[in-house]
Amino acid sequence: MKQISTFGKSGYRPGNLQLLRDANDDAAVARLLANCPVMRLEAGKAIPESNQAQLYIVLRGVLAVETDSNTGVADGNGSVSKVLPGESLGEQSVLDEEANLSRITALEDSDILVIEADLVWKLIDQSNVVARNLLRLLSFRIRAANAQLRTRQKLGEFYRRLSMNDGLTGLYNRAWLNDLLPKLAATAQSSGAPLALIMIDLDHFKRFNDTHGHLAGDQALRTAAQVLSGALRPTDFAVRYGGEEMMVLLPDTNGKMAVAVAERLCERMQQAVVFADMRQPMPHITASFGVATLRPQQSEQDLIASADAALYRAKELGRNQVVQEALAD
């Protein structure tokens, strides 16, 4: 980057610049800016790093700014913002007396007015117009940053929720379970409210896949998930535990009520239609259910183990049925 002129000799007027707009008749501004250097930055070149805060105003060309929280120009997410003629960057750095940390490059041959930090303060002190323009500019950037933050928060929540759901069935996944089940168990233990868990395994699922193919197997899993989702209360949770295993969490539900829920699910599973196309064979799916309730001082892992033991017993007894944990002891 090399100096090609000073602002006083460049032919540019303060009023053409956002930060100096309406300052054409301000003699003090003109005097202060007269000796400020106008630098030429060739396309593809970067502004050299400086240990001092400086204000840059683009007179001609286009600059690209990579992620700079100090200037308030880039979006803070690793992207690039463009700075067009008349626009400035580095205001925040001047105000907090920190050097610009961003990488600033020219997308095309560009002329840049460089104003040192102490001179920016003199402009603010001597010109109400400059002070007002600076306040408007910073207000705009704060609003833009807040809007981006809200967008990022919404996007982050969307992707967080997306990461907590199984892509095939739409049910919650193991990551969600590992996060929430300890909280549900802790709440139940501290409040004395019951918490029930139902482990579910689709019967002979490998045989189903071998007979009808894996696409049909995927459809069977989706159908089973729809059965669970359609039969539960809004306060209940259905989880794909892994493979053909699923789980239902029932807060504020005792063992008797949990068995009734499991029996209803067992019946609905038998009636579920896997193939909507009536020209295809219409196999039904069945499932085995193991029911357990949280005991005093019991951990969530022990609760899962109890329900799993009851599920194993249901399979031993012929599948397509419900077994409560007491029968597995």
Side-chain angles (χ1 to χ4, degrees):
M1 187 165 71
K2 62 180 181 179
Q3 182 172 345
I4 60 171
S5 180
T6 60
F7 188 72
K9 298 178 180 179
S10 66
Y12 291 100
R13 300 178 62 197
N16 295 329
L17 312 178
Q18 288 185 0
L19 193 59
L20 305 174
R21 185 168 297 159
D22 300 325
N24 282 330
D25 298 329
D26 196 324
V29 170
R31 284 196 303 271
L32 289 172
L33 291 177
N35 294 322
C36 289
V38 175
M39 312 295 289
R40 172 69 51 81
L41 186 64
E42 296 179 356
K45 299 293 185 178
I47 292 179
E49 294 185 5
S50 172
N51 294 326
Q52 297 180 335
Q54 293 174 316
L55 178 69
Y56 303 106
I57 301 179
V58 178
L59 302 176
R60 182 181 69 89
V62 182
L63 299 183
V65 185
E66 299 178 10
T67 308
D68 180 19
S69 58
N70 288 326
T71 63
V73 174
D75 67 6
N77 195 32
S79 62
V80 174
S81 295
K82 293 181 179 179
V83 185
L84 304 176
E87 297 179 347
S88 57
L89 63 154
E91 299 87 358
Q92 186 67 48
S93 297
V94 169
L95 293 177
D96 60 21
E97 299 180 347
E98 295 288 341
N100 291 304
L101 299 179
S102 61
R103 177 177 170 80
I104 305 170
T105 57
L107 296 180
E108 57 187 63
D109 288 351
S110 302
D111 295 343
I112 306 163
L113 173 63
V114 181
I115 308 175
E116 300 296 332
D118 58 347
L119 185 53
V120 176
W121 283 111
K122 288 181 181 179
L123 287 168
I124 294 171
D125 289 338
Q126 296 190 29
S127 173
N128 291 333
V129 172
V130 174
R132 286 197 301 269
N133 288 341
L134 179 60
L135 286 174
R136 290 193 190 101
L137 178 61
L138 292 178
S139 176
F140 170 78
R141 289 185 178 170
I142 289 171
R143 287 179 182 273
N146 287 340
Q148 289 172 347
L149 179 59
R150 287 193 295 271
T151 300
R152 267 189 224 113
Q153 287 173 334
K154 290 178 181 178
L155 242 132
E157 179 62 18
F158 170 76
Y159 283 117
R160 189 192 72 80
R161 292 186 178 183
L162 195 64
S163 69
M164 294 293 182
N165 288 89
D166 175 60
L168 176 63
T169 63
L171 301 181
Y172 290 115
N173 60 19
R174 285 287 288 272
W176 178 92
L177 180 72
N178 293 338
D179 180 58
L180 191 75
L181 183 55
K183 299 175 184 176
L184 288 176
T187 299
Q189 293 287 15
S190 62
S191 66
L195 173 65
L197 187 152
I198 304 173
M199 287 288 292
I200 305 156
D201 187 80
L202 300 188
D203 295 329
H204 304 298
F205 189 69
K206 183 179 183 305
R207 184 190 306 169
F208 187 100
N209 269 338
D210 292 343
T211 303
H212 302 285
H214 288 283
L215 291 179
D218 288 347
Q219 181 57 35
L221 288 170
R222 284 191 287 265
T223 300
Q226 291 166 3
V227 169
L228 301 184
S229 300
L232 298 177
R233 303 168 298 184
T235 53
D236 300 330
F237 307 97
V239 181
R240 185 179 181 191
Y241 193 63
E244 67 271 25
E245 281 193 314
M246 300 180 184
M247 179 188 292
V248 169
L249 301 175
L250 304 171
D252 298 315
T253 305
N254 60 32
K256 183 177 180 180
M257 293 173 60
V259 169
V261 171
E263 289 176 343
R264 181 172 72 248
L265 293 175
C266 185
E267 182 179 352
R268 292 193 182 185
M269 200 73 76
Q270 297 175 50
Q271 299 169 354
V273 176
V274 177
F275 300 143
D277 188 347
M278 298 299 292
R279 294 170 298 178
Q280 299 186 51
M282 193 167 59
H284 292 278
I285 51 176
T286 64
S288 302
F289 298 76
V291 180
T293 52
L294 187 67
R295 301 173 182 174
Q297 309 303 318
Q298 188 180 40
S299 70
E300 65 273 8
Q301 294 302 323
D302 289 338
L303 175 63
I304 293 175
S306 295
D308 198 50
L311 172 63
Y312 184 77
R313 180 64 174 159
K315 292 180 180 181
E316 281 188 328
L317 294 174
R319 305 176 189 268
N320 190 26
Q321 59 186 283
V322 176
V323 170
Q324 194 173 6
E325 59 178 326
L327 299 180
D329 294 337

